[in-house]
Amino acid sequence: MDSVKPKPAPANPQPKMAVPESNGDLDTTPIFLAILVILITILLLWVWKKKRTVRSDVLLAGLCDSGKTLLFSRLIFDDEKETFTSIKENVGHLATAKGEIRLVDIPGHERLRGKFFDQYKSLAKAVVYVVDSVTVQKDIRDVADFLYTILADKAISSLPVVILCNKQDEALAKGDGVIKSLLEKEINLVRQTRTSQLESVDQQNADAVFLGRSDKDFDFGQVSQKIQFIGCSARKAEFDELASFLDAL
């Protein structure tokens, strides 16, 4: 019988690859981790944004020479400092019955007040609008125009506003009731002018709202803010009613 020769073994035998058995389950751990990271990031951004927009400021606004900076000095330093027309804001911290607030004295110059008001309005928790009770009738258009800008701003629409009638210690000072009437009449005229200006352009200012009721002459009872008229004398440090307002914030 012929003998059968065995086949020679391959020179480089290839090892067999082990094929893992599939159990039909997909490892979802990386997906869950990615979702968790996204949720934590969103939460941190929300907390950061909320912290940045906490309203803790009280804005002192008004025209030049109304007595804002002297009032700021009395409240913050309990002293009468030499004052002059400011070209930048004054910032100080005031302890009140409910904690500390930041007081911001906005420059009253026509070219600066709008810029600084826009800078701080989103941080405001209240506005104190200071009026010179002696010169208010002479300056009524400027006083009313800036006050209209503040009250018509959406960032201020839900905040309490004090109209502080300063220099009540002077003989020619107008009382707060007279100042209220003067402002209501003048704001009614300012409102008509602003409305005409908006109608003459294609795009309205998104940050401003119509102030009061269109079917009636303006009065402060028509606005969304809680308005208080308070008399004071910064020079004589007579502002107890204002201090009570600040304590209540």
Side-chain angles (χ1 to χ4, degrees):
M1 295 181 62
D2 296 332
S3 61
V4 179
K5 295 181 179 181
K7 294 181 179 181
N12 296 311
Q14 298 293 326
K16 293 184 178 180
M17 299 293 293
V19 179
E21 295 183 2
S22 175
N23 58 6
D25 294 332
L26 179 65
D27 186 3
T28 58
T29 302
I31 298 176
F32 285 128
L33 288 175
I35 294 174
L36 182 61
V37 169
I38 292 172
L39 290 175
I40 292 174
T41 302
I42 292 173
L43 178 62
L44 291 175
L45 287 172
W46 178 81
V47 171
W48 175 74
K49 184 177 180 181
K50 185 176 181 182
K51 185 177 180 180
R52 285 190 65 206
T53 57
V54 170
R55 291 180 174 267
S56 59
D57 295 356
V58 174
L59 307 186
L60 291 180
L63 304 190
C64 291
D65 300 323
S66 60
K68 294 184 293 82
T69 305
L70 176 57
L71 179 66
F72 174 88
S73 175
R74 289 288 197 188
L75 289 169
I76 299 299
F77 304 111
D78 193 23
D79 192 13
E80 181 176 350
K81 303 285 186 180
E82 182 180 358
T83 63
F84 48 87
T85 301
S86 303
I87 60 173
K88 64 177 185 178
E89 75 277 37
N90 295 304
V91 180
H93 293 84
L94 177 68
T96 68
K98 293 187 177 181
E100 191 177 73
I101 60 175
R102 191 169 74 156
L103 202 62
V104 182
D105 170 25
I106 294 175
H109 194 282
E110 183 179 4
R111 295 182 180 179
L112 299 173
R113 60 195 182 211
K115 167 191 171 183
F116 285 99
F117 172 71
D118 288 340
Q119 179 179 338
Y120 286 99
K121 65 185 182 182
S122 62
L123 299 175
K125 66 187 301 182
V127 176
V128 177
Y129 189 78
V130 185
V131 177
D132 185 333
S133 302
V134 177
T135 64
V136 61
Q137 192 162 13
K138 176 174 66 74
D139 299 330
I140 191 63
R141 172 47 66 104
D142 288 341
V143 175
D145 191 76
F146 188 28
L147 179 59
Y148 187 101
T149 298
I150 292 172
L151 295 180
D153 197 293
K154 289 181 179 178
I156 308 298
S157 61
S158 61
L159 305 183
V161 176
V162 165
I163 299 176
L164 192 68
C165 305
N166 191 23
K167 304 185 183 181
Q168 287 294 308
D169 57 300
E170 299 194 22
L172 298 178
K174 299 288 189 295
D176 53 9
V178 174
I179 293 174
K180 179 181 179 182
S181 297
L182 289 171
L183 284 173
E184 286 178 336
K185 291 177 182 177
E186 195 64 32
I187 286 178
N188 195 55
L189 298 176
V190 172
R191 184 174 65 173
Q192 294 173 13
T193 303
R194 295 283 185 99
T195 302
S196 299
Q197 289 173 347
L198 289 175
E199 290 174 350
S200 66
V201 296
D202 294 332
Q203 185 176 4
Q204 296 187 7
N205 185 354
D207 291 333
V209 296
F210 184 84
L211 204 61
R213 294 181 52 175
S214 59
D215 59 335
K216 289 187 175 183
D217 288 341
F218 176 81
D219 68 67
F220 286 104
Q222 299 168 3
V223 300
S224 57
Q225 298 93 338
K226 181 181 179 182
I227 307 289
Q228 290 180 250
F229 280 79
I230 295 176
C232 86
S233 170
R235 187 173 67 87
K236 290 192 172 183
E238 296 173 350
F239 42 74
D240 289 348
E241 200 171 350
L242 172 64
S244 297
F245 168 81
L246 297 175
D247 280 337
L249 288 176

